[in-house]
Each structure stands twice: as structure tokens, then as C-alpha cells.
Amino acid sequence: MSLDVSPTLLSQAESGEVSEVDFVDTVRRSLPYAYEMISGLTVQLEHTSALFVDNTTPPASEAERGQLLRAMASNAIRASLERHFGVHLAFQNCHRVAVFRTDVDTSAARGVFTSIRGQLLNQSPVLRDC
């Protein structure tokens, strides 16, 4: 299961729309490693003029890796986190998350990061088990 959904939030979802604030809070509580990584990268981005910042450190555990994969693989989670943090997210392998600015055009930089070439250049024997 990706998220630990409270009975109250599940009831809201069953009867209609759910607050994105409540959804993001559920993501924060359910996937703390992924949430904190994106939060930390967003803070780093705010203190630089770079178009993006990224994480290159593999997770310390398979549980953390699983959290990150679940967050990045879900369109709903990923889009909500992008809106919550005001960034564009990109993902490579099983841990390399990047946060891109939204206040300038970063499409070229995102294109390079998410390209086939970018993916291949980010491979190493250490990452093959992820």
C-alpha cells in the first residue's frame, strides 16, 4: 500500500472531492523519506540561481527506496507534490530526484535530465539493483 489513509480521508474520497492539503499531509506522513527529500531539495533550490537541484545519494534502506518509487510513480502524488512545493519534478533510476524552477523556462534543462542520454549517463553497476 502506498499511503496510510485515515478513515476520515477515505470517507471523504468515497463521497466526493478531497482537499489537496489533506492529501499532501497524508503523503507527508505515509512517505516521509520522499516528502523530506523533495522538501529539502526545494529549500536548496531557493538558495541558488541554478535551474534545478538534484539528489544523487541512494536511499539508506529499501524502505526509503520504496517510498521514493511510490511517490514518483503515482501521477496524483507527484503532481500534488509539485503543486505543494511549487516545482517541477523529474526522476531517474531509483533515487535521483530533481526539482526544477517554475518561475523560468526550464524545459530544455528538464529535457536533458529526462532524456535517454541522461538516463544512460546516470547508470552505474552500483545502481543496477534498484
Side-chain angles (χ1 to χ4, degrees):
M1 180 167 24
S2 292
L3 300 175
D4 183 16
V5 181
S6 72
T8 302
L9 191 59
L10 183 57
S11 177
Q12 289 174 1
E14 289 169 345
S15 59
E17 290 298 312
V18 176
S19 157
E20 189 165 54
V21 170
D22 292 339
F23 180 69
V24 169
D25 188 54
T26 297
V27 171
R28 180 188 58 77
R29 285 183 286 104
S30 302
L31 306 173
Y33 175 79
Y35 184 92
E36 289 302 320
M37 176 183 289
I38 294 165
S39 177
L41 289 171
T42 300
V43 169
Q44 287 179 31
L45 186 64
E46 292 169 355
H47 292 96
T48 182
S49 60
L51 294 177
F52 74 97
V53 296
D54 62 329
N55 173 67
T56 58
T57 305
S61 71
E62 288 305 308
E64 290 175 345
R65 184 184 319 275
Q67 286 185 33
L68 198 55
L69 290 171
R70 288 193 301 279
M72 294 297 103
S74 166
N75 289 340
I77 294 172
R78 189 173 176 159
S80 290
L81 290 173
E82 286 180 327
R83 287 187 294 273
H84 176 73
F85 289 109
V87 297
H88 293 295
L89 295 172
F91 187 60
Q92 283 184 356
N93 289 349
C94 52
H95 70 272
R96 190 170 178 208
V97 175
V99 295
F100 287 81
R101 297 187 173 286
T102 57
D103 58 344
V104 296
D105 182 9
T106 60
S107 57
R110 281 185 289 140
V112 170
F113 187 90
T114 61
S115 70
I116 294 168
R117 181 176 184 266
Q119 180 68 43
L120 291 172
L121 293 174
N122 194 42
Q123 300 300 299
S124 78
V126 173
L127 302 175
R128 289 204 179 128
D129 70 340
C130 66

